Each structure stands twice: as C-alpha cells, then as structure tokens.
Amino acid sequence: MNFFDEITDAERVKQYKEPDEWDKQRVGRFTGSEIHKLMKFGKRPMTDEELKARPKTGKGSQAKTVADFSVLSDTARTYIYSKVAEVMTGEPKPEIYAYQLFYGKQTEPIAIEYFEEVTGLKTEIIGFVEYTDHAGATPDRMIAGVKEGLEMKCPIFEKHIEYLMLTDQYDLKANFPENYWQCLMEMMVTNSDRWHFCAFHPYFPEKTRLFHLILESSNTDIQEDLESIRTAIASAVKEKLQILKILL
C-alpha cells in the first residue's frame, strides 16, 4: 500500500475521533472552522423607515422582511445548541474522523513546507487563540515577523480544481463561505493585517500545486464582514447564556 492509499483508506480511518487537549480548549466556544454557521443570518420584519425606502416597483418592492446578522438562522441556532450541550457535559461534540480529514492532516506539513519554499516566508505554530470567554480559533500557522497568518487546505482531487478556479476574495466567499469566514475569524482573533488562504495537492503539476489567495484587513468589504462576525458572535453568546440560565 503506497502513501496515498494509506491516507485515503476510508475503512481504516473512518472512526470517532477521541477528544484531545485541543478539543477540550474549544468546548463551549464558537470556533473559526465553524463560524460560518453563525453567518447564515436570519430575517426580521422591516421597520417603518425600511418599508418606506422600498423600491416603488420591481425587485424588493413587496418585501416585508430584511436580512439581519443579529437575528439567528436555524443553522446558527443548531450550532448554539451544540455549544450549550458542550458546556453542560464538559465534552466536545463527537466527530466522525473521515478519511478526507485524515488526509488533510497528514498532508498539511508537506503543504506548509512547500508554501515556505515557494513564497520565501517562514511560519510559526500558534495554537488555539481565545476571543473572549466564548469563542476562538486555531490558525494553521502565523507568518514569522509580521501580522499575517495562513490557512492551508489539502483537498482531494476535484476539489483542488474548484480552488484553482477562484480569482479573488469574492469568489472564495461565494463558493467556499466556510473557508472565507474561517480566515476572517482567524484574522480577527489574532489582530492580523493580512491572511494567506492556500490549497495544496502534491500530485498536481508544479504550476497548479499551490493555490494562493491573500485577504487584506484594510479592504472595506472585509472590514464590514469582520464587524459582521463580531455582531454574530455577540448574538450567539447572548442566546447561549440565556439557554444555560434556563437549563442550569
């Protein structure tokens, strides 16, 4: 059995992952890898001012509700319930450790080494970074000597093609919102100026082996989205604490 067969043997690696210290640090906290669940915002009734501001005809003219990050979606509420359960049990939610995740973890050190070689940048491990008592994130690496970080993905085959087809942050947000919001969450908790998002596959031709996109905190749209994350976390924390108050 060769290296690729070993790290993609689904029957061998599909199992429940036992919690470790990193998992326990995350208990009850909203994290970077799942923050996108809070960004599926809900809707609220329009105010009198918003109703008056509707277009007279066409799209939006009959709208009675408006999207609002402070209103929780069903996806967000389910995620909050999982964090309430973690607090009440003291245990992280069990995960299925599927072969895609196993492959990614096995390949990541090779990907980081390749990133450093291609870019000339050196990276450092930072571990879990807390954001208040209720959230946090674990960047894959921080860039040494500057306020920058790195999120590295190691997809299998066709998904790498999907990454290679992206052109900018707007493509990333539209096609891989979970990756986009994760990068912004990591940027926020580390107070970084720039974030490198990469995807790596060792078997692709050299020119396409590494996909590399840079997100800048100075970008106006990113600044707005960072504020949206803060708003979403504040709403989720309020909901979590209220549920715990009722149940405990």
Side-chain angles (χ1 to χ4, degrees):
M1 183 178 287
N2 63 32
F3 172 75
F4 188 77
D5 290 334
E6 287 182 4
I7 61 178
T8 56
D9 183 351
E11 293 305 315
R12 186 170 67 84
V13 303
K14 187 177 182 181
Q15 54 187 300
Y16 284 100
K17 178 179 177 293
E18 290 296 324
D20 54 23
E21 288 304 314
W22 178 74
D23 292 309
K24 293 175 181 177
Q25 281 184 295
R26 293 155 51 93
V27 166
R29 293 178 182 270
F30 303 108
T31 61
S33 59
E34 295 188 297
I35 197 65
H36 65 96
K37 295 177 181 178
L38 295 184
M39 308 317 294
K40 296 179 182 294
F41 47 87
K43 294 184 177 183
R44 60 167 174 77
M46 285 182 167
T47 64
D48 290 342
E49 291 77 13
E50 289 168 336
L51 288 169
K52 291 178 182 177
R54 292 180 303 180
K56 300 300 182 184
T57 59
K59 185 177 180 181
S61 61
Q62 301 301 311
K64 297 180 178 65
T65 60
V66 63
D68 190 332
F69 272 113
S70 65
V71 178
L72 299 170
S73 67
D74 290 341
T75 299
R77 186 161 279 109
T78 298
Y79 182 39
I80 292 168
Y81 289 167
S82 74
K83 294 302 165 182
V84 170
E86 288 181 351
V87 172
M88 294 179 71
T89 63
E91 294 292 329
K93 181 180 178 180
E95 294 182 352
I96 291 289
Y97 204 53
Y99 76 89
Q100 291 95 335
L101 180 58
F102 183 79
Y103 166 81
K105 288 186 178 295
Q106 292 294 308
T107 310
E108 184 178 292
I110 302 170
I112 298 295
E113 183 178 342
Y114 189 80
F115 170 84
E116 292 184 335
E117 179 181 336
V118 169
T119 64
L121 300 171
K122 297 300 179 183
T123 66
E124 301 171 340
I125 297 174
I126 188 174
F128 186 75
V129 182
E130 297 180 354
Y131 178 76
T132 74
D133 293 330
H134 302 282
T138 309
D140 285 333
R141 294 290 194 279
M142 297 302 295
I143 308 299
V146 291
K147 296 176 67 176
E148 300 178 15
L150 167 67
E151 180 61 33
M152 178 68 72
K153 300 300 179 185
C154 300
I156 294 178
F157 292 119
E158 67 274 6
K159 191 168 184 179
H160 190 63
I161 297 293
E162 294 180 49
Y163 282 124
L164 291 172
M165 295 297 289
L166 302 178
T167 57
D168 54 31
Q169 70 190 56
Y170 304 103
D171 276 354
L172 181 64
K173 183 179 181 180
N175 293 279
F176 295 96
E178 67 279 11
N179 297 158
Y180 175 80
W181 292 113
Q182 181 180 13
C183 286
L184 263 61
M185 177 72 167
E186 292 170 350
M187 180 186 289
M188 183 182 75
V189 303
T190 58
N191 193 31
S192 293
D193 297 328
R194 175 181 288 184
W195 212 260
H196 301 258
F197 176 78
C198 293
F200 171 84
H201 197 292
Y203 294 167
F204 272 65
E206 184 173 353
K207 184 179 178 180
T208 56
R209 197 168 296 162
L210 181 74
F211 169 77
H212 186 189
L213 180 66
I214 298 176
L215 306 177
E216 302 275 1
S217 65
S218 59
N219 178 276
T220 302
D221 292 325
I222 286 181
Q223 288 178 357
E224 291 179 358
D225 284 343
L226 287 169
E227 187 57 35
S228 295
I229 291 178
R230 297 183 187 99
T231 300
I233 290 175
S235 297
V237 169
K238 182 178 179 180
E239 181 87 355
K240 184 186 82 168
L241 293 178
Q242 180 61 25
I243 296 171
L244 287 169
K245 183 179 178 180
I246 293 171
L247 297 179
L248 295 179

